[in-house]
Amino acid sequence: MEYSIDVCWMFGDVFLSDDNKSCALILYPQQKKTTWKSIWLDAKLIASAIGVGGIIKTMKRESLIKNLQPKQPMAYLWFIGVDTLYQHQGIGSSLLQEIVLKAIDENLPIYLETSTLKNIPWYERFGFEIYNELNLDYTLFFLRNIIV
C-alpha cells in the first residue's frame, strides 16, 4: 500500500474520509511520468513485495490488464476501502460519491478493476458497468463509470 499511496501522491489523489475510516486512491495515468522517484518506488516494490523471481509474471499480468484499459484521460480508482469495523455504514458510499462528483467536474471517466463479485452491485449503484473481463488465476472485472 505504501507504494500505491506514494504513486497517487505523485500522479493522482488520495481521498480520506473526514472520520479517517475510509480511503481511496485515484491515479491519473495520463499524468504519470518516469522520474527518479518513480524508478526508486518501483525498485522498492520489487525488493519488498514482488521479488526478482516474480518480475516476469507481474509484468505479463500488468501488460494483459493495460491492454484492456482504455487509452484516454481518466480517473483510475486504484483502491477504495473502509475500516472493517465501520463497513456497511455508508462511509465508503459517501467517499465514492465524492470521487464521482469530482470526476464529473473534471469531465473524466472513472475506471477500475475488481475481482470481488459482491462489490460489483455496489459499484453499479454509482453508475459503473462491466466493460470487460480477464481470466487470470481468478476473474478480473473491468468497470467504467457511465455517468461522466
Side-chain angles (χ1 to χ4, degrees):
M1 284 306 298
E2 180 181 343
Y3 170 83
S4 303
I5 291 169
D6 287 342
V7 169
C8 285
W9 279 124
M10 292 172 59
F11 308 113
D13 284 316
V14 177
F15 286 81
L16 192 59
S17 62
D18 292 337
D19 58 8
N20 295 332
K21 304 297 184 211
S22 66
C23 179
L25 302 180
I26 306 295
L27 183 64
Y28 304 110
Q30 63 275 11
Q31 294 178 8
K32 196 167 181 197
K33 298 176 186 140
T34 301
T35 65
W36 287 111
K37 185 172 182 180
S38 71
I39 293 169
W40 170 247
L41 291 174
D42 289 346
K44 277 181 30 181
L45 178 67
I46 291 166
S48 66
I50 296 170
V52 175
I55 292 174
I56 292 173
K57 180 180 178 181
T58 301
M59 288 178 66
K60 284 181 182 178
R61 186 186 70 228
E62 290 301 311
S63 177
L64 291 170
I65 291 169
K66 285 198 183 299
N67 285 336
L68 294 177
Q69 293 173 330
K71 312 299 184 251
Q72 67 182 58
M74 72 170 89
Y76 175 71
L77 179 54
W78 200 354
F79 292 103
I80 186 166
V82 177
D83 183 321
T84 54
L85 296 174
Y86 299 93
Q87 291 180 350
H88 307 290
Q89 296 179 19
I91 297 169
S93 294
S94 294
L95 189 59
L96 185 54
Q97 184 62 39
E98 182 181 335
I99 292 164
V100 168
L101 291 174
K102 183 174 194 262
I104 289 170
D105 284 346
E106 295 179 358
N107 199 31
L108 286 174
I110 306 171
Y111 286 83
L112 65 94
E113 292 98 39
T114 186
S115 59
T116 308
L117 276 172
K118 69 178 184 173
N119 289 347
I120 292 173
W122 182 70
Y123 287 119
E124 289 174 337
R125 288 198 307 266
F126 292 90
F128 287 85
E129 66 177 5
I130 296 172
Y131 72 91
N132 217 329
E133 296 178 17
L134 179 61
N135 291 312
L136 301 163
D137 293 335
Y138 54 91
T139 301
L140 187 62
F141 298 94
F142 291 71
L143 289 88
R144 66 179 163 218
N145 184 282
I146 58 176
I147 293 175
V148 177

